[in-house]
């Protein structure tokens, strides 16, 4: 069987860079003839050297078509609701964490909270995992209650006891810390060394002036609410900056500005993967595909019908961490099989064909979707997702566009007031009564639910029910199938649910283009090119 093999991370990064620049981009507008990035032409700036790449911890997942729930097997006694409605679905390319978020990763989050807001005990307490999830009335699990999160013996094990809501907040924090680190380490903002007084002494006065008044927030930074420009600050070619330079009032060496979204430097937000993304990534059918022909389907993230390795050196070893029978968690002493009575380190076993570890077993994983039994009978065929709740950032000053922020330096979100772009007059009228409007442009999670007036009150499923997938150390093999799905309330947690993050990939969907036939677009000729 011919397979598509994985490339090294460095090679993938270089390939993705080439993909983003497959055609030579001109520095001149083909529609107006004006050169970009020139102050005399109005200062319109275009990044012609954008290079795409994942954020820390992520690997690239090239999207494509697959049958949602297509890997489902007929298991006697298992209800149909445990699977989705089988449906052909397309998932756009995206990035996904190579591993589950570990205890060390979460302790880094807690340490940041303690360092940046040491007297806010409520904030720290709210982000503590519930270690009491290990307690069971007829089991002796107290050592896990005390040690699992913090003891170095478990530092590389997946964090558990984390609710869906906590996982969401971790994603927001990770986005901000990654973008701040990127901007400071590349000197688009004051470097960490100068900010902490350990760098160039000549730059410390400017660094002191640039000290933030609160935690860094990507949205506020992109909105221009940080006045912190490092030694590599972007040149500002706007008319106002040009006038300031001409009058001698601009920055030394020319006016500068903060990084903008158009520069392509900051990363997209980390988030929980959608259910469709998660299932697609878990299957890893790219390893069984050649010229759009899938050689054989899978029922697990690995090839074959079994749950143990068929290779000579590892023959018989279990390929994931799960419960083989109701009482067998790890095999017989002396020849332990899956090696773990509870969880195991996040880089255990063999990764799937996308390079992802433990997409079956170890811990179940939260995904973004609200649970409904027939979600994919209703959802769109492209990037299906049930969980949209559209919101806008609240504007504190309409004249400057400054965003209102909360006590944690995050933009305050309000319900979206329209499903389309409003006229200017409509926008001003809506702003006056924004606080009284309710979001009615969500994801139909209540579609047909309202026929039962007691829906959510006398049923286990409601608008806070979130999907988790993958099977765990405490599940038997049938739950290792990527098509299976269960739900839990978004503010609850267990000892067998963890999570990993994802990130949207912008631009071309194809990642691995080397050796594949490509159309070569005709290059744009300069506007003033002489005719031959």
């Amino acid at each position: 069987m011919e397979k598509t093999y994985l490339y090294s991370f460095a090679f993938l990064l270089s390939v993705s860079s080439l993909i983003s620049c497959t055609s030579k981009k001109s520095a001149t507008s083909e529609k107006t003839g004006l050169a970009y990035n020139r102050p005399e032409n109005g200062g319109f700036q275009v990044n012609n050297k954008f290079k795409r790449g994942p954020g820390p911890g992520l690997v690239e997942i090239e999207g494509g078509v697959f049958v949602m729930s297509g890997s489902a097997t007929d298991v006697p006694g298992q209800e149909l609701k445990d699977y989705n409605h089988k449906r052909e679905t397309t998932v756009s390319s995206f990035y996904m964490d190579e591993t589950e978020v570990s205890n060390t990763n979460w302790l880094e989050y807690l340490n940041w909270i303690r360092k940046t807001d040491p007297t806010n005990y409520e904030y720290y307490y709210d982000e503590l995992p519930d270690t009491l999830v290990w307690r069971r009335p007829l089991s002796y699990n107290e050592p896990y209650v005390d040690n699992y999160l913090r003891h170095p013996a478990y530092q590389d094990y997946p964090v558990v006891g984390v609710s869906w809501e906590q996982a969401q907040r971790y994603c927001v924090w990770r986005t901000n810390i990654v973008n701040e680190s990127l901007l400071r380490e590349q000197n688009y903002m004051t470097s960490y060394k100068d900010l902490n007084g350990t760098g160039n002494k000549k730059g410390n006065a400017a660094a002191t002036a640039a000290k933030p008044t609160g935690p860094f927030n990507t949205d506020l930074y992109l909105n221009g609410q940080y006045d912190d420009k490092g030694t590599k600050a972007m040149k500002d070619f706007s008319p106002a900056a040009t006038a300031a330079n001409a009058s001698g009032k601009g920055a030394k060496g020319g006016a500068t500005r903060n990084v903008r979204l158009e520069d392509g430097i900051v990363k997209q937000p980390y988030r929980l993967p959608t259910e469709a993304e998660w299932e697609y990534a878990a299957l890893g059918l790219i390893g069984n595909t050649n010229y759009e022909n899938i050689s054989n389907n899978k029922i697990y993230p690995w090839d074959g019908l079994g749950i143990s390795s068929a290779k000579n050196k590892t023959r018989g070893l279990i390929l994931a961490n799960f419960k083989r029978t109701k009482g067998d968690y790890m095999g017989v002493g002396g020849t332990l099989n899956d090696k773990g009575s509870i969880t195991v380190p996040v880089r255990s076993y063999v990764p799937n064909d996308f390079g992802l570890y433990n997409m079956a077993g170890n811990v179940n994983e939260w995904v973004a979707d609200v649970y409904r039994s027939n979600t994919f009978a209703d959802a769109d065929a492209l990037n299906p997702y049930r969980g949209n709740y559209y919101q806008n950032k609240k504007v504190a000053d309409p004249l400057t566009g400054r965003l209102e922020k909360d006590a944690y330096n995050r933009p305050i979100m309000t319900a979206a007031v329209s499903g389309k772009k409003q006229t200017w007059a409509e926008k001003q009228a809506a702003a006056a009564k924004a606080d009284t409007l309710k979001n009615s442009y969500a994801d139909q999670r209540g579609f047909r639910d309202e026929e039962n007036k007691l829906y959510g009150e006398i049923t286990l499923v409601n608008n806070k029910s979130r999907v988790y997938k993958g099977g765990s150390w405490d599940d038997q093999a049938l739950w290792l199938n990527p098509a299976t799905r269960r739900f839990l309330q978004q503010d609850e947690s267990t000892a067998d649910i963890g999570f990993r993050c994802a990130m949207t990939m912008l631009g071309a969907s194809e990642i691995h283009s080397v050796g594949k036939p490509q159309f070569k677009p005709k290059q744009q000729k300069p506007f003033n090119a002489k005719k031959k």
Side-chain angles (χ1 to χ4, degrees):
M1 178 180 62
E2 188 171 350
K3 287 183 176 287
T4 302
Y5 292 97
L6 291 173
Y7 300 93
S8 71
F9 178 76
F11 179 74
L12 288 179
L13 200 58
S14 65
V15 170
S16 67
S17 300
L18 291 172
I19 293 299
S20 62
C21 305
T22 50
S23 61
K24 185 177 180 181
K25 298 178 182 178
S26 173
T28 303
S29 170
E30 62 177 325
K31 305 302 183 188
T32 65
L34 291 174
Y36 302 141
N37 307 319
R38 300 286 292 274
E40 62 269 25
N41 289 345
F44 179 60
Q45 293 177 263
V46 175
N47 180 4
N48 292 315
K49 299 179 180 179
F50 168 68
K51 294 183 179 180
R52 184 173 71 186
L58 303 170
V59 296
E60 295 160 313
I61 308 295
E62 184 169 285
V65 64
F66 81 116
V67 177
M68 194 80 182
S69 262
S71 63
T73 56
D74 185 16
V75 178
Q78 189 171 10
E79 297 182 31
L80 183 61
K81 68 179 179 62
D82 295 330
Y83 296 123
N84 271 322
H85 186 87
K86 290 191 178 184
R87 181 175 177 180
E88 191 175 58
T89 297
T90 293
V91 173
S92 297
S93 297
F94 63 103
Y95 303 112
M96 196 167 187
D97 268 339
E98 183 182 22
T99 69
E100 298 141 343
V101 172
S102 71
N103 286 322
T104 296
N105 301 147
W106 198 270
L107 290 174
E108 182 184 10
Y109 178 33
L110 294 177
N111 178 71
W112 179 89
I113 295 172
R114 179 172 283 171
K115 179 182 67 173
T116 58
D117 203 352
T119 60
N120 193 340
Y121 305 114
E122 181 181 2
Y123 186 15
Y124 186 86
Y125 181 82
D126 286 346
E127 299 313 304
L128 281 173
D130 181 5
T131 60
L132 300 182
V133 294
W134 289 107
R135 283 181 174 168
R136 296 184 181 180
L138 298 178
S139 292
Y140 178 62
N141 290 337
E142 208 64 19
Y144 303 135
V145 174
D146 297 332
N147 295 296
Y148 183 81
L149 174 64
R150 298 183 184 276
H151 197 282
Y154 298 108
Q155 61 185 4
D156 294 325
Y157 286 53
V159 67
V160 297
V162 172
S163 69
W164 182 92
E165 293 174 350
Q166 287 177 305
Q168 286 281 88
R169 294 194 292 268
Y170 175 89
C171 291
V172 173
W173 168 80
R174 185 176 172 187
T175 299
N176 292 326
I177 206 71
V178 165
N179 280 328
E180 181 182 16
S181 178
L182 184 156
L183 293 168
R184 293 197 186 281
E185 291 181 356
Q186 296 188 23
N187 294 315
Y188 292 110
M189 294 177 68
T190 304
S191 70
Y192 283 120
K193 287 184 177 180
D194 285 341
L195 196 65
N196 296 320
T198 59
N200 184 354
K201 297 298 182 184
K202 294 180 180 179
N204 283 343
T208 301
K211 274 191 177 293
T213 56
F216 176 87
N217 182 272
T218 303
D219 290 322
L220 296 181
Y221 176 85
L222 292 175
N223 198 52
Q225 292 179 227
Y226 283 83
D227 186 17
D228 184 351
K229 303 174 184 68
T231 58
K232 195 180 175 182
M234 307 296 290
K235 289 292 184 181
D236 191 349
F237 296 150
S238 67
T242 303
N245 287 339
S247 65
K249 296 180 180 180
K252 185 178 180 181
T256 58
R257 60 170 175 81
N258 284 354
V259 168
R260 297 189 298 223
L261 185 64
E262 294 91 328
D263 298 317
I265 292 173
V266 299
K267 298 297 182 184
Q268 288 293 296
Y270 285 84
R271 56 177 175 79
L272 291 177
T274 67
E275 183 176 0
E277 286 175 335
W278 194 98
E279 184 172 331
Y280 177 85
L283 275 175
L285 288 174
I286 193 171
N288 295 14
T289 303
N290 190 19
Y291 297 107
E292 288 201 296
N293 294 313
I294 299 176
S295 57
N296 59 289
N297 284 313
K298 299 178 178 179
I299 59 173
Y300 300 114
W302 52 83
D303 282 329
L305 303 177
I307 54 177
S308 58
S309 173
K311 295 183 178 180
N312 289 334
K313 291 184 179 180
T314 56
R315 188 177 300 277
L317 293 182
I318 299 297
L319 292 169
N321 180 21
F322 67 100
K323 185 170 61 174
R324 287 194 294 181
T325 62
K326 290 184 178 181
D328 183 358
Y329 284 82
M330 61 181 178
V332 179
T335 51
L336 295 181
N337 208 308
D338 71 25
K339 319 295 185 188
S341 59
I342 53 168
T343 58
V344 294
V346 295
R347 276 192 172 82
S348 298
Y349 312 109
V350 179
N352 75 355
D353 287 321
F354 279 123
L356 304 173
Y357 286 86
N358 291 304
M359 292 301 285
N362 211 22
V363 288
N364 289 289
E365 298 180 17
W366 288 116
V367 298
D369 293 58
V370 170
Y371 178 85
R372 288 295 183 274
S373 59
N374 289 319
T375 284
F376 294 95
D378 305 320
D380 288 353
L382 175 64
N383 298 326
Y385 168 61
R386 173 156 277 163
N388 283 315
Y389 190 79
Y390 301 125
Q391 294 179 302
N392 296 332
K393 302 177 185 74
K394 188 174 183 180
V395 177
D397 186 347
L399 295 178
T400 63
R402 183 173 59 85
L403 299 176
E404 191 168 332
K405 55 187 181 181
D406 62 16
Y408 301 104
N409 223 37
R410 299 176 299 210
I412 293 176
M413 306 301 293
T414 59
V417 297
S418 177
K420 62 181 181 64
K421 181 181 178 181
Q422 299 169 294
T423 65
W424 182 256
E426 289 172 338
K427 183 176 177 64
Q428 305 314 305
K433 56 179 180 178
D435 292 336
T436 64
L437 294 172
K438 292 185 178 180
N439 187 328
S440 58
Y441 303 97
D443 59 0
Q444 299 184 11
R445 69 185 68 175
F447 183 57
R448 294 181 183 150
D449 297 342
E450 295 178 0
E451 295 175 5
N452 181 351
K453 294 182 179 180
L454 293 178
Y455 188 88
E457 296 182 22
I458 62 172
T459 63
L460 293 176
V461 178
N462 55 44
N463 285 344
K464 289 188 176 182
S465 302
R466 298 286 175 170
V467 179
Y468 65 88
K469 295 171 76 72
S472 76
W473 61 271
D474 199 25
D475 290 314
Q476 292 186 253
L478 69 91
W479 294 107
L480 305 185
N481 185 298
T484 58
R485 61 200 305 255
R486 287 171 284 182
F487 68 90
L488 188 71
Q489 296 299 89
Q490 65 186 41
D491 56 356
E492 296 179 358
S493 59
T494 73
D496 62 356
I497 300 180
F499 74 102
R500 72 180 75 210
C501 301
M503 179 185 286
T504 299
M505 181 185 293
L506 303 180
S509 293
E510 187 175 57
I511 297 172
H512 310 295
S513 62
V514 176
K516 298 178 182 177
Q518 303 285 338
F519 290 109
K520 294 183 178 180
K522 186 177 180 181
Q523 301 300 323
Q524 173 194 340
K525 293 182 179 180
F527 174 72
N528 57 357
K530 293 182 180 180
K531 294 183 179 180
K532 294 183 179 180

